[in-house]
Amino acid sequence: SDRPFDKRGLVLGYVQSGKTANFTGLINKAYDLGYKLIIVLSGMHNDLRAQTQIRLEQEAVGSYIDEKGRKKGVSQIRENDKEHIISTWTTVEQDISISSYGMVKHINEPSLLVVKKNKDVLEALLEQLRYHNSLYEIDVPVLVIDDEADQASVDTSNPDNGEDPKTINRLIRQILEVFKRKAYVGYTATPFANLLIDANKESQEEGQDLYPKDFLIGLPKPKDYCGPEEFFNVYEDEENEKPSV
């Protein structure tokens, strides 16, 4: 839509069952629909962020070449060249930082960021987005994908005691507030904290909290998936011969 929108949702998947593959598909569909900026919040550690960056360079951007110079993923079908360009503000080695201004491209073209849920990183990203907004009056649709959405993203403060929102939650919400057209999708295997967010919680500076007000989707269990139910009697069924948890 050309008009402002603000969608919030949550995707529930089994542990190690293909959640990253699912949001990779979602990213590709979003680019096809006209989303310009996609921000992936990829956990709190460098190794997970780098792993996700590699995965998306292979399966969404089409720019990944291995150490032997071989193309991997979608670049074997269509390379990321001047006719089909997705800019990446982050690399396998480099997250967003104050010193990464040179990597920030004009976001009227499709752009991808894979960033840690880290105070310094998110503050640097927010500053750069606000700077871009002041220069170009940004009005592009943005998709924020929050991997492991139950980790650090949920506000655990108590506003009744006058507490401000927790840092990571505050920064994610302020990043969303830069844009008029936005969608936020959390991915997790443990959704309990996310579903217990106050659905009406809102503040002037941060906007709405991250409650998944628009949708909750449960991904199907993969055909050959092996989890607790495959090994244990998780429901304590008397007739089940598997060992009790």
Side-chain angles (χ1 to χ4, degrees):
S1 175
D2 292 328
R3 289 175 296 197
F5 61 83
D6 184 354
K7 297 292 183 183
R8 311 282 170 108
L10 189 67
V11 178
L12 169 62
Y14 290 85
V15 174
Q16 293 294 319
S17 67
K19 293 189 292 297
T20 304
N22 187 273
F23 71 66
T24 300
L26 179 62
I27 287 170
N28 283 309
K29 287 188 173 186
Y31 281 134
D32 288 344
L33 285 170
Y35 279 83
K36 297 299 184 186
L37 181 62
I38 295 180
I39 302 170
V40 180
L41 305 171
S42 185
M44 302 181 70
H45 303 288
N46 286 320
D47 54 353
L48 179 58
R49 193 209 68 80
Q51 177 183 311
T52 304
Q53 179 86 29
I54 290 171
R55 185 86 175 263
L56 292 176
E57 285 185 9
Q58 288 183 19
E59 298 173 15
V61 179
S63 63
Y64 189 77
I65 298 174
D66 70 12
E67 62 278 359
K68 295 183 179 179
R70 295 176 298 193
K71 297 175 185 175
K72 293 284 188 178
V74 297
S75 63
Q76 297 175 81
I77 302 164
R78 188 175 184 183
E79 283 193 75
N80 193 27
D81 56 27
K82 62 182 181 180
E83 301 298 325
H84 165 71
I85 185 73
I86 298 173
S87 299
T88 53
W89 295 12
T90 53
T91 67
V92 175
E93 294 80 21
Q94 188 171 357
D95 203 342
I96 287 288
S97 67
I98 294 297
S99 64
S100 64
Y101 266 89
M103 300 173 65
V104 174
K105 311 294 193 302
H106 197 301
I107 58 179
N108 274 335
E109 298 299 326
S111 305
L112 174 72
L113 301 82
V114 184
V115 299
K116 290 191 302 294
K117 285 190 269 190
N118 168 280
K119 175 181 179 290
D120 294 340
V121 169
L122 295 179
E123 284 180 345
L125 174 57
L126 178 61
E127 181 179 326
Q128 293 182 41
L129 290 173
R130 284 175 170 169
Y131 175 70
H132 256 62
N133 197 17
S134 67
L135 286 180
Y136 306 113
E137 295 185 358
I138 295 172
D139 183 22
V140 297
V142 62
L143 169 63
V144 175
I145 290 177
D146 190 350
D147 194 13
E148 308 296 349
D150 59 306
Q151 185 181 36
S153 301
V154 178
D155 181 20
T156 57
S157 67
N158 185 352
D160 294 337
N161 292 341
E163 295 179 14
D164 293 327
K166 295 295 183 181
T167 302
I168 301 301
N169 172 272
R170 171 178 57 82
L171 289 167
I172 293 171
R173 290 162 62 188
Q174 287 176 344
I175 287 167
L176 286 165
E177 281 297 289
V178 173
F179 301 90
K180 297 183 180 74
R181 295 182 286 162
K182 54 210 171 193
Y184 167 90
V185 185
Y187 276 77
T188 182
T190 49
F192 314 107
N194 303 79
L195 294 174
L196 291 169
I197 294 171
D198 182 350
N200 300 311
K201 191 173 179 183
E202 190 170 351
S203 60
Q204 188 167 355
E205 187 177 354
E206 290 83 21
Q208 292 181 330
D209 206 347
L210 302 177
Y211 180 75
K213 64 184 178 61
D214 294 295
F215 62 87
L216 171 64
I217 294 174
L219 300 180
K221 184 186 289 187
K223 180 169 171 270
D224 297 319
Y225 183 75
C226 290
E229 290 181 34
E230 281 66 41
F231 294 97
F232 298 100
N233 178 9
V234 296
Y235 299 111
E236 303 295 335
D237 180 2
E238 292 181 5
E239 297 179 4
N240 191 326
E241 295 179 359
K242 293 176 185 174
S244 166
V245 293

Coordinates of all heavy atoms in Angstrom, one line a residue, residues 5-9 35 37 39 141-146 176 179-186 214-215:
F5 N 1.0 2.0 7.0 CA 0.5 0.8 7.7 C 1.6 0.3 8.7 O 2.7 0.7 8.6 CB 0.3 -0.4 6.6 CG 1.5 -0.8 5.9 CD1 2.4 -1.7 6.4 CD2 1.7 -0.3 4.6 CE1 3.5 -2.1 5.6 CE2 2.8 -0.7 3.8 CZ 3.7 -1.6 4.3
D6 N 1.1 -0.4 9.7 CA 1.9 -0.9 10.8 C 1.4 -2.3 11.1 O 0.5 -2.5 11.9 CB 1.8 0.1 11.9 CG 2.8 -0.3 13.1 OD1 3.4 -1.4 13.0 OD2 2.9 0.4 14.0
K7 N 2.1 -3.3 10.6 CA 1.7 -4.7 10.9 C 2.7 -5.4 11.9 O 3.9 -5.2 11.7 CB 1.7 -5.5 9.6 CG 0.7 -5.0 8.6 CD -0.7 -5.2 9.0 CE -1.8 -4.8 8.0 NZ -3.1 -5.0 8.5
R8 N 2.2 -6.1 12.8 CA 3.0 -6.8 13.8 C 2.5 -8.3 13.9 O 1.4 -8.5 14.0 CB 2.9 -6.2 15.2 CG 3.0 -4.7 15.2 CD 4.5 -4.2 15.2 NE 4.6 -2.8 15.0 CZ 5.0 -1.9 15.9 NH1 5.3 -2.3 17.1 NH2 5.1 -0.6 15.6
G9 N 3.5 -9.2 13.7 CA 3.1 -10.6 13.7 C 4.2 -11.5 14.3 O 5.3 -11.0 14.6
Y35 N 8.9 -4.1 -1.1 CA 9.6 -3.6 0.1 C 11.0 -3.2 -0.3 O 11.7 -3.9 -1.1 CB 9.7 -4.7 1.2 CG 8.4 -4.8 2.0 CD1 7.3 -5.6 1.5 CD2 8.3 -4.2 3.2 CE1 6.1 -5.7 2.2 CE2 7.1 -4.3 4.0 CZ 6.1 -5.1 3.5 OH 4.9 -5.2 4.2
L37 N 13.5 -1.8 2.2 CA 14.5 -2.0 3.3 C 14.1 -3.2 4.2 O 13.0 -3.3 4.6 CB 14.6 -0.8 4.2 CG 15.6 -0.8 5.3 CD1 17.1 -1.0 4.8 CD2 15.6 0.4 6.2
I39 N 15.4 -5.4 7.5 CA 16.3 -5.4 8.6 C 16.1 -6.7 9.4 O 15.0 -7.0 9.8 CB 16.1 -4.2 9.6 CG1 16.2 -2.9 8.9 CG2 17.0 -4.3 10.8 CD1 15.8 -1.7 9.7
P141 N 8.7 1.3 2.3 CA 8.2 0.2 3.1 C 9.4 -0.6 3.7 O 10.3 -1.0 3.0 CB 7.3 -0.7 2.2 CG 7.8 -0.4 0.8 CD 8.4 1.0 0.8
V142 N 9.3 -0.9 5.0 CA 10.4 -1.6 5.7 C 9.8 -2.9 6.3 O 8.7 -2.9 6.9 CB 11.1 -0.8 6.8 CG1 10.1 -0.3 7.8 CG2 12.3 -1.5 7.4
L143 N 10.6 -4.0 6.3 CA 10.2 -5.2 6.9 C 11.3 -5.5 8.0 O 12.5 -5.6 7.6 CB 10.1 -6.4 5.9 CG 10.1 -7.8 6.5 CD1 8.8 -8.0 7.3 CD2 10.2 -8.8 5.4
V144 N 10.9 -5.6 9.2 CA 11.9 -6.0 10.3 C 11.6 -7.4 10.7 O 10.5 -7.7 11.1 CB 11.8 -5.0 11.5 CG1 12.7 -5.5 12.6 CG2 12.1 -3.6 11.1
I145 N 12.6 -8.3 10.6 CA 12.5 -9.7 11.0 C 13.3 -9.9 12.3 O 14.5 -9.6 12.3 CB 12.9 -10.6 9.9 CG1 11.9 -10.6 8.7 CG2 13.1 -12.1 10.4 CD1 12.3 -11.4 7.5
D146 N 12.6 -10.3 13.3 CA 13.3 -10.4 14.6 C 13.5 -11.9 14.9 O 12.5 -12.6 15.3 CB 12.4 -9.8 15.7 CG 13.1 -9.7 17.0 OD1 14.2 -10.3 17.2 OD2 12.5 -9.0 17.9
L176 N 11.4 1.3 14.2 CA 10.1 1.2 13.5 C 9.4 2.5 13.3 O 8.8 2.8 12.3 CB 9.2 0.2 14.2 CG 9.6 -1.3 14.1 CD1 8.8 -2.1 15.1 CD2 9.3 -1.8 12.7
F179 N 9.7 5.0 10.2 CA 9.0 4.7 9.0 C 7.5 4.8 9.1 O 6.9 4.4 10.2 CB 9.4 3.2 8.5 CG 10.8 3.1 8.3 CD1 11.6 2.6 9.3 CD2 11.4 3.4 7.1 CE1 13.0 2.5 9.1 CE2 12.8 3.2 6.9 CZ 13.6 2.8 7.9
K180 N 6.8 5.2 8.0 CA 5.4 5.2 8.0 C 4.7 3.9 7.5 O 3.6 3.6 7.9 CB 4.9 6.3 7.0 CG 5.3 7.7 7.4 CD 4.7 8.8 6.5 CE 5.1 10.2 6.8 NZ 6.5 10.4 6.5
R181 N 5.5 3.1 6.7 CA 5.0 1.9 6.2 C 5.9 0.8 6.7 O 7.1 0.7 6.3 CB 4.9 1.9 4.7 CG 3.9 2.9 4.1 CD 3.9 2.8 2.6 NE 5.0 3.4 2.0 CZ 5.4 3.2 0.7 NH1 4.7 2.4 0.0 NH2 6.5 3.9 0.2
K182 N 5.4 -0.1 7.6 CA 6.3 -1.0 8.3 C 5.6 -2.3 8.7 O 4.4 -2.3 8.9 CB 6.9 -0.4 9.5 CG 5.8 0.2 10.5 CD 6.4 1.4 11.3 CE 5.3 2.1 12.1 NZ 5.7 3.4 12.6
A183 N 6.4 -3.4 8.7 CA 5.9 -4.7 9.1 C 7.0 -5.3 10.0 O 8.2 -5.2 9.7 CB 5.6 -5.6 8.0
Y184 N 6.6 -5.8 11.2 CA 7.5 -6.4 12.1 C 7.1 -7.9 12.3 O 5.9 -8.2 12.6 CB 7.5 -5.7 13.5 CG 8.1 -6.5 14.6 CD1 9.5 -6.3 14.9 CD2 7.4 -7.4 15.4 CE1 10.1 -7.0 15.9 CE2 8.0 -8.1 16.4 CZ 9.4 -7.9 16.7 OH 10.0 -8.6 17.7
V185 N 8.0 -8.8 12.0 CA 7.7 -10.2 12.2 C 8.7 -10.9 13.1 O 9.9 -10.9 12.7 CB 7.6 -11.0 10.8 CG1 7.2 -12.4 11.0 CG2 6.7 -10.2 9.8
G186 N 8.2 -11.4 14.2 CA 9.1 -12.1 15.1 C 9.1 -13.6 14.8 O 8.1 -14.2 14.4
D214 N -1.4 -8.6 14.7 CA -2.1 -8.8 13.4 C -2.1 -10.3 13.0 O -3.0 -10.8 12.3 CB -1.4 -8.1 12.3 CG -1.6 -6.6 12.4 OD1 -2.7 -6.1 12.3 OD2 -0.6 -5.9 12.7
F215 N -1.1 -11.1 13.4 CA -1.2 -12.5 13.1 C -0.2 -13.3 14.0 O 0.8 -12.8 14.5 CB -0.9 -12.8 11.6 CG 0.5 -12.3 11.2 CD1 1.6 -13.2 11.3 CD2 0.7 -11.1 10.6 CE1 2.9 -12.8 10.8 CE2 2.0 -10.7 10.2 CZ 3.0 -11.5 10.3

